[in-house]
Amino acid sequence: MIRIQAIFTATLVAATIASSVHGAATLSFNASPPVLGTYDQSQLLDDATIPGGNTPGGGTYNSQSYTDNGGPLGQTFTAPSTKHLYALTALTLKGVGDTGGVIDAAGVTWAVRVSKVSGTTLTPLKTITGIPTLTGAIGTEWVTLSFTGTDATTLDGSAQYAFEIYTTGGWFGVDATQGDAAYAGGSAFNSAGAVRSFNDNTLGNVAAHGYDRTFVAQLAAPPGGPGDVDNNGVVNLADYTIIRNNLEKPAAIFTNGDLNGDSYVDLNDFRRWRAAAPPEVAALVGVPEPATAALALCGALLVVARGRRLRR
């Protein structure tokens, strides 16, 4: 029986690894900023002046606000307290008009990293590289990196996060505003890492910045509270069904059943749904089991039964 359990465990692990939710990240340029949603975090002032750095073309600005800086240019932001979870669906930055070797440059790609912030420490959550650049853009336009599937990062409400961006070639200057009062939920920063890499997990010398980049972090949230998996405003059996069908599988965001933001659907997500569901709804269901587990268990029972028949 021990051998059968080992086979069952290996089968379940293999099935879990094989199951994946694919994502995509795309790049676009626009003349205007995105229309702000209810939960979006943003700082839209763009005087292109930072403390001690003047405007593009000299001093601190050149060392902090380009996609070829080391470490990569970044901005911290805070998810609202209104909801328990959010999905980061896009990041937008305003170009300052000083760029070279990025727009219309064959083979150049963009990279972005999203991290959770604790003090001055970054805990990386999502790193996406190889995003192709676009042709025909203007250096003063708004650059938007859009995320779907597994590339959409799940964020906790009331927590602080950071994003960093670099390009694999050339440079692209990002706009900013003088002072740090325009956006209270974060600040511009550059990690202590190398050029064109995410090899440092700190905010670097964030105290030397004291300003905000011109940015928008677009956030989506379920309207119905902690157990509203399908994002329709109510917690019901349909949400339970999504969790049950995706149990023991990787998940991109809460709409795939990942209610606690750990990129995996398990019994912890079911418990969150049960705690949020009306009592009469929660009473209708038991603890869910993954389909792969049920099939493997049936197979194990058949093996045991056959062994008993052979011994007769």
Side-chain angles (χ1 to χ4, degrees), residues 203-214:
L203 290 177
N205 189 13
V206 67
H209 289 64
Y211 64 94
D212 290 303
R213 307 198 191 278
T214 308

Side-chain angles (χ1 to χ4, degrees), residues 66-68 97-103 105 108 167 169-173 196:
Y66 287 84
T67 59
D68 63 344
D98 186 10
T99 182
V102 173
I103 299 172
V108 171
T167 55
W171 70 90
F172 187 90
R196 308 189 201 280

Side-chain angles (χ1 to χ4, degrees), residues 243 246-248 257 260 262 264-271:
I243 295 173
N246 290 306
L247 199 66
E248 305 298 343
N260 63 356
D262 65 356
Y264 196 78
V265 180
D266 55 22
L267 291 181
N268 291 323
D269 302 298
F270 164 71
R271 293 185 186 104

Side-chain angles (χ1 to χ4, degrees), residues 60-105:
T60 305
Y61 195 99
N62 272 4
S63 66
Q64 293 183 351
S65 299
Y66 287 84
T67 59
D68 63 344
N69 288 149
L73 66 90
Q75 171 76 35
T76 60
F77 64 96
T78 302
S81 60
T82 313
K83 298 287 185 178
H84 71 297
L85 285 178
Y86 298 88
L88 178 63
T89 59
L91 289 169
T92 300
L93 289 163
K94 173 73 164 57
V96 78
D98 186 10
T99 182
V102 173
I103 299 172
D104 299 318

Side-chain angles (χ1 to χ4, degrees), residues 172-204:
F172 187 90
V174 171
D175 223 326
T177 186
Q178 179 81 24
D180 200 22
Y183 176 68
S187 178
F189 76 96
N190 294 74
S191 71
V195 173
R196 308 189 201 280
S197 71
F198 299 129
N199 61 359
D200 180 73
N201 295 334
T202 73
L203 290 177

Side-chain angles (χ1 to χ4, degrees), residues 6-19 248 250 264 292:
I7 294 172
F8 160 72
T9 302
T11 302
L12 180 57
V13 170
T16 300
I17 294 173
S19 300
E248 305 298 343
Y264 196 78
T292 52

Side-chain angles (χ1 to χ4, degrees), residues 6-285:
I7 294 172
F8 160 72
T9 302
T11 302
L12 180 57
V13 170
T16 300
I17 294 173
S19 300
S20 62
V21 181
H22 298 287
T26 57
L27 181 71
S28 61
F29 289 81
N30 299 280
S32 303
V35 177
L36 295 181
T38 302
Y39 307 110
D40 292 352
Q41 300 298 292
S42 66
Q43 192 296 109
L44 302 181
L45 299 178
D46 60 347
D47 53 41
T49 303
I50 65 174
N54 300 315
T55 55
T60 305
Y61 195 99
N62 272 4
S63 66
Q64 293 183 351
S65 299
Y66 287 84
T67 59
D68 63 344
N69 288 149
L73 66 90
Q75 171 76 35
T76 60
F77 64 96
T78 302
S81 60
T82 313
K83 298 287 185 178
H84 71 297
L85 285 178
Y86 298 88
L88 178 63
T89 59
L91 289 169
T92 300
L93 289 163
K94 173 73 164 57
V96 78
D98 186 10
T99 182
V102 173
I103 299 172
D104 299 318
V108 171
T109 61
W110 294 63
V112 59
R113 179 172 75 165
V114 180
S115 304
K116 194 168 189 178
V117 179
S118 177
T120 59
T121 300
L122 301 175
T123 301
L125 301 176
K126 196 82 64 177
T127 300
I128 307 169
T129 59
I131 307 169
T133 196
L134 290 183
T135 60
I138 300 173
T140 55
E141 291 186 308
W142 296 78
V143 183
T144 296
L145 294 156
S146 300
F147 314 115
T148 60
T150 52
D151 285 342
T153 309
T154 299
L155 312 179
D156 294 320
S158 302
Q160 190 174 60
Y161 294 88
F163 65 83
E164 303 163 86
I165 291 175
Y166 70 80
T167 55
T168 56
W171 70 90
F172 187 90
V174 171
D175 223 326
T177 186
Q178 179 81 24
D180 200 22
Y183 176 68
S187 178
F189 76 96
N190 294 74
S191 71
V195 173
R196 308 189 201 280
S197 71
F198 299 129
N199 61 359
D200 180 73
N201 295 334
T202 73
L203 290 177
N205 189 13
V206 67
H209 289 64
Y211 64 94
D212 290 303
R213 307 198 191 278
T214 308
F215 80 99
V216 178
Q218 293 179 253
L219 307 181
D228 183 22
V229 180
D230 59 9
N231 208 20
N232 70 346
V234 295
V235 180
N236 54 24
L237 288 177
D239 305 301
Y240 165 82
T241 301
I242 295 173
I243 295 173
R244 183 197 64 198
N245 291 345
N246 290 306
L247 199 66
E248 305 298 343
K249 296 179 182 179
I253 55 176
F254 54 80
T255 51
N256 292 318
D258 178 25
L259 291 178
N260 63 356
D262 65 356
S263 300
Y264 196 78
V265 180
D266 55 22
L267 291 181
N268 291 323
D269 302 298
F270 164 71
R271 293 185 186 104
R272 285 203 172 199
W273 171 85
R274 185 171 58 185
E280 63 275 15
V281 174
L284 296 175
V285 301

